[in-house]
Amino acid sequence: MEWSCRLNGSEIQVSFGHYPKGTYKLLQEPYCKFCAHPNTTTEDCTWHHSLEGFERIYAIGSYFPKPAEEENDLLSCHIQRFKHMKGYADPLGKGLELVMREVYPELLGSEIIVPVPLHAEKLAERGYNQSLELSNFVGSRLQIPVEEVLQKTRNVDMRSLTWRERHDAVNGLYGLQPKTCDKIYRKKVLLMDDVVTTGLTVTGCAELLNIAEVASVNVLVAGRTVKRES
């Protein structure tokens, strides 16, 4: 059996073979048109004051950290399962392809897809890089080349860090792979990851891509973490 995704108004209907599994809820107004944070306008958004290097973050929908089941949110559940089961690249990748075709068609002009890298130690532990899996899936469906031009220099788990700790940790955390800059020079780059939380990771990656003189950088993720005010 195969996964299938079909756009229906403000949601993506997800099925496995003949069995409906639920829906991925698309971002709904209001949300920030720069960092994709839900429940705020771009003008009033306070989450992206330190983000730069890219034109915009695009997302299928909101991501609720564990336990996603309590939120009754299929997109969050699939993103969480994807950290342990590579097969979830299929429904999430089909969701990303669908929003590129039907919701954010401006992204179809992307010339290169660049995945956010995973450190070699983490890659050996997990066995795959979620960002690369999604990039390869979308790239093959939309005929957009995928280039692994970035590398992660330290094995840092950002999930347990505060915003300030993440801000400090991302300094020098990413680098450019040797002899790869020619592949992205003057190209419209689509930087891809499974989730954006603070946006500091994609900022660090985008800044390196700009050093390599790309034409532009946009970011596409499956989920945009909902950060609740304390």
Side-chain angles (χ1 to χ4, degrees):
M1 292 192 296
E2 294 186 356
W3 290 95
S4 62
C5 292
R6 184 172 67 88
L7 187 65
N8 183 19
S10 61
E11 59 189 23
I12 295 174
Q13 295 178 336
V14 182
S15 299
F16 186 58
H18 297 295
Y19 301 97
K21 291 298 181 180
T23 61
Y24 294 160
K25 300 178 179 67
L26 302 182
L27 288 177
Q28 294 296 297
E29 299 284 359
Y31 67 93
C32 177
K33 300 302 192 304
F34 177 70
C35 76
H37 196 273
N39 306 318
T40 182
T41 64
T42 308
E43 294 72 24
D44 294 335
C45 182
T46 60
W47 298 109
H48 63 250
H49 62 279
S50 60
L51 306 185
E52 56 187 1
F54 55 84
E55 295 186 359
R56 181 175 168 182
I57 296 174
Y58 296 82
I60 295 176
S62 299
Y63 171 66
F64 299 95
K66 289 184 177 179
E69 288 80 1
E70 292 184 3
E71 301 284 353
N72 191 30
D73 187 80
L74 186 69
L75 178 62
S76 300
C77 288
H78 280 187
I79 290 171
Q80 290 171 15
R81 292 171 185 170
F82 187 32
K83 298 181 185 301
H84 308 285
M85 291 176 278
K86 187 166 68 171
Y88 281 93
D90 193 324
L92 292 170
K94 287 176 179 174
L96 288 167
E97 177 198 359
L98 192 58
V99 295
M100 284 182 68
R101 290 187 186 276
E102 303 293 339
V103 184
Y104 309 124
E106 61 268 28
L107 294 181
L108 295 174
S110 303
E111 297 173 288
I112 296 283
I113 297 176
V114 173
V116 171
L118 203 61
H119 189 268
E121 292 176 1
K122 189 66 176 181
L123 181 61
E125 174 188 331
R126 180 170 289 165
Y128 60 96
N129 175 4
Q130 304 104 291
S131 304
L132 178 58
E133 294 296 321
L134 293 175
S135 297
N136 284 336
F137 188 97
V138 174
S140 65
R141 304 268 290 204
L142 297 177
Q143 304 296 301
I144 303 174
V146 176
E147 296 290 350
E148 295 182 79
V149 300
L150 299 172
Q151 60 184 348
K152 193 171 184 179
T153 61
R154 303 188 303 277
N155 190 12
V156 178
D157 187 353
M158 304 285 274
R159 291 173 297 177
S160 61
L161 303 183
T162 65
W163 185 93
R164 175 50 59 185
E165 289 170 337
R166 290 183 184 220
H167 182 273
D168 294 340
V170 80
N171 184 32
L173 185 59
Y174 297 96
L176 289 165
Q177 295 274 15
K179 300 180 181 179
T180 58
C181 291
D182 288 347
K183 297 179 179 179
I184 56 174
Y185 179 70
R186 298 300 183 193
K187 300 289 188 180
K188 296 178 182 178
V189 172
L190 184 61
L191 182 64
M192 191 168 291
D193 207 354
D194 57 345
V195 170
V196 160
T197 298
T198 62
L200 294 172
T201 290
V202 292
T203 286
C205 291
E207 288 175 343
L208 285 168
L209 295 171
N210 284 308
I211 290 173
E213 298 185 65
V214 301
S216 62
V217 181
N218 278 296
V219 180
L220 177 63
V221 296
R224 176 61 162 98
T225 301
V226 177
K227 296 166 66 178
R228 295 178 174 84
E229 301 280 2
S230 58

